[in-house]
Every structure is written in C-alpha cells, then in structure tokens.
C-alpha cells in the first residue's frame, strides 16, 4: 500500500546562486500543473540556494515528463539546476 501512494510523489531539487523569486517560480509551475506541494525545505549556504520539495502529482492533468520539462525550463530561466524524479526511484536509490 505504501508503494501505491509513493508512485504519485515526486522529489524536486533546486540549487544555484540565490536570487529573488526562486520559490515563487517553482511554486507557480507546480500550481499551473496541479501538483500539490506536500513538504518543502530550503537553505542558503554562502549565497548558494538549495531547496528540496516533495510534490503529489495525483491531480496533475499532464504527464510526469511534461511536469519535469516545465520545471527544467523554469530552472533555465532562473539560471538554477532543477532535478525532478519520482519518489519511488529516489527511495530505491537511497536504500542501496
């Protein structure tokens, strides 16, 4: 049952030089694609912004691939690195 719930979860990692509007830009893309933000953590280390976000794509009207591409485009616009992966894959990678 845990497996079924995690198949609709995605992990988003954002990193790069800190600037205004990073969280807003990512949150707007997620809202446009009907992805719910379930958890978010961010920090700034010596002017370097790092954010981890857990999203739920259960109600998304677009595919995982389309959501990932939209977030990567936002990353390019922000001059940030944005990685998007399914939580199931993330969990398996970190359980090895």
């Amino acid at each position: 049952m845990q497996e079924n719930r995690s198949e609709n979860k995605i992990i988003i990692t954002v990193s790069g030089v800190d600037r205004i509007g990073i969280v807003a830009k990512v949150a707007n893309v997620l809202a446009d694609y009907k992805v719910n933000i379930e958890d978010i953590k961010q920090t700034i280390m010596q002017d370097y912004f790092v954010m981890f976000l857990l999203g739920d794509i259960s109600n998304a009207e677009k595919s995982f691939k389309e959501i990932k591409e939209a977030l990567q485009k936002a990353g390019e616009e922000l001059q940030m690195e944005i990685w998007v992966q399914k939580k199931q894959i993330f969990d398996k990678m970190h359980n090895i």
Side-chain angles (χ1 to χ4, degrees), residues 26-79:
V26 172
N28 282 330
V29 170
L30 295 175
D32 288 346
Y33 283 80
K34 297 189 177 19
V35 176
N36 186 45
I37 297 172
E38 292 193 344
D39 199 0
I40 186 170
K41 304 271 189 269
Q42 70 180 54
T43 191
I44 298 173
M45 297 181 285
Q46 298 180 354
D47 299 325
Y48 201 72
F49 177 91
V50 180
M51 178 172 71
F52 300 99
L53 188 146
L54 174 65
D56 183 343
I57 60 172
S58 299
N59 296 318
E61 296 172 351
K62 302 287 185 179
S63 70
F64 169 77
K65 182 179 180 211
E66 290 170 299
I67 295 165
K68 181 176 181 175
E69 288 170 353
L71 286 164
Q72 289 172 331
K73 182 175 185 260
E76 290 171 14
E77 292 169 6
L78 289 165
Q79 298 177 338

Side-chain angles (χ1 to χ4, degrees), residues 2-4 16 21 25-29 35 54 70 79 83 91 94:
Q2 181 79 17
E3 232 17 69
N4 290 338
K25 179 80 166 178
V26 172
N28 282 330
V29 170
V35 176
L54 174 65
Q79 298 177 338
W83 296 275
D91 289 345
H94 290 88

